[in-house]
Amino acid sequence: MAEAVSAKTPSLSEQYHLENEVKQVKEDPSDENTSEETPDDITLKTAPADFRFPTTNQTRHCFTRYIEYHRCVAAKGDDAPECDKFAKFYRSLCPSEWVDRWNEQRENGTFPGPL
Amino acid sequence: MFALKTIVLKWLFLTISPCDAAEPWQLGSQDAATPIMQGIIDLHHDIFFFLILILVFVLWILVRALWHFHYKENAIPQRIVHGTTIEILRTIFPSLISMFIAIPSFALLYSMDEVVVDPAITIKAIGHQWYRTYEYSDYNSSDEQSLTFDSYMIPEEDLELGQSRLLEVDNRVVVPAKTHLRIIVTSADVPHSWAVPSSGVKCDAVPGRLNQISILVQREGVYYGQCSEICGTNHAFTPIVVEAVPRKDYGSRVSNQLIPQTGEA
C-alpha cells in the first residue's frame, strides 16, 4: 500500500511496475475537465460551480436555478433556447422529487418563490 | 528474457491490491483514492510523528520520576516551586509543536473546501430508509428522464463467493475516474450520511438540504462505504459502493445501466 503513495497519480506503468510497457502506455495528456471528442467519449458537462453559492449547502443554488428557468420562460416564451441552459442546471442539481413537487405547486399556484 | 523474468516475478510477488473496503482487524486507513484522502493520510502521519515524540518524552519523564524518587530511594522531597528556564521552555516547545500540527491541518482543511475546477458530472445521492437512490441528470431533455436507480444491499443469503458481507449492493454508482465530480447528498426521509472512506468522503444527508462534495477519484476500482448516521432499524444494512471506471468506458456503462432501468426509473 505504501508504494502507491505519491504526490501525483502514478502512471499505469508505475503503478504496475512494468518496464517494457513504459514506451507503449500513453498517458492521457488532456486535463480532466476538457473531454476529447473521440467517438467513444461523450462530452461531460454539468452545472458549473456558482460563486454565489460557495459553501457546501447548495439548496439555494438548486432553488435559484429553478426560479431562473421559470422566469426566463415567463419572459421569453416556452421554447426559448436561452432558457435551456437554466433547465439543464436545475435538473442536474435538484432531486427529481423536489422538481416534481415544485411543478405541482406551480400548477396549484402555491409555489413559495418569486417566479 | 531478463526483463520478462522480472515482470513475471513482479506480478507474482509485488502486485499491489489496494485496500478499498474495511478489512478485519484493520488498523490503518484504507488506501487513498482521491487527493483529499491522500491529504488526510499524510496529515495523520505528520501528527502521529509529533504524537510519538510527545508520548515517549512524557512516559520517559514519568517513569524516571517514579523510579528515582520512590520514597525508599529518596525520602526527602524537594520543594521547588519556580524555575524560569524550564517554564519558558515548556511553554515555547508545546506552542511550536502545536504550530507544526496546525499548519498542515489548516492547509488541508481549507483546500478541501476549495472548488477550483468546474465539475464535469453531478450525481445526486439520495438516502432513504433503507436504501440509496442515485440520479444522473446531466442529460435530461425533460423533467422526467434522468437515469435514476435504487441501490439496495445484497442480503447475506444472496452473496456470491468473494463478495463482502454487508457491503455489496445490487446497483453500484458508476463514476469516471480522473474526472472532477460533484456529488449532491440529500435524504428523502430521515438524516443519513454518505461515506466512502477510501475517497475521504463523509457527508451528511439531511432532508430538505443539498450538500455538495467535490471529489476526483484518481484510480479505477471499487470503493465501499457504509451509512454513517443512525437512520433506523436497517442503518447497518445500507452500504454504498462506488465503481470508478475509465473515462472512455463511462458512457457505455451508464447507458447500459439506463436500458434495463428505464422500466423502473
Side-chain angles (χ1 to χ4, degrees), chain B residues 75-122:
Chain B
I76 309 168
Q78 294 238 307
R79 293 175 192 274
I80 302 178
V81 288
H82 289 304
T84 316
T85 328
I86 193 173
E87 284 177 9
I88 292 178
L89 285 177
R90 74 174 181 216
T91 312
I92 301 289
F93 273 125
S95 323
L96 281 179
I97 291 179
S98 289
M99 199 178 67
F100 285 131
I101 292 178
I103 291 175
S105 178
F106 279 108
L108 178 65
L109 187 65
Y110 287 112
S111 72
M112 275 164 69
D113 268 345
E114 240 176 272
V115 179
V116 262
V117 188
D118 276 337
I121 299 185
T122 302

Side-chain angles (χ1 to χ4, degrees), chain B residues 10 43 47 52 65 95 101 104 114 124 134 139 142 159 162 171 173 178 191 200 257:
Chain B
K10 281 181 174 168
L43 178 68
I47 295 180
I52 298 291
S95 323
I101 292 178
E114 240 176 272
K124 284 168 265 181
Y134 297 104
Y139 303 103
S142 80
L159 285 175
N171 298 317
V173 195
K178 302 194 180 65
Q257 245 177 330

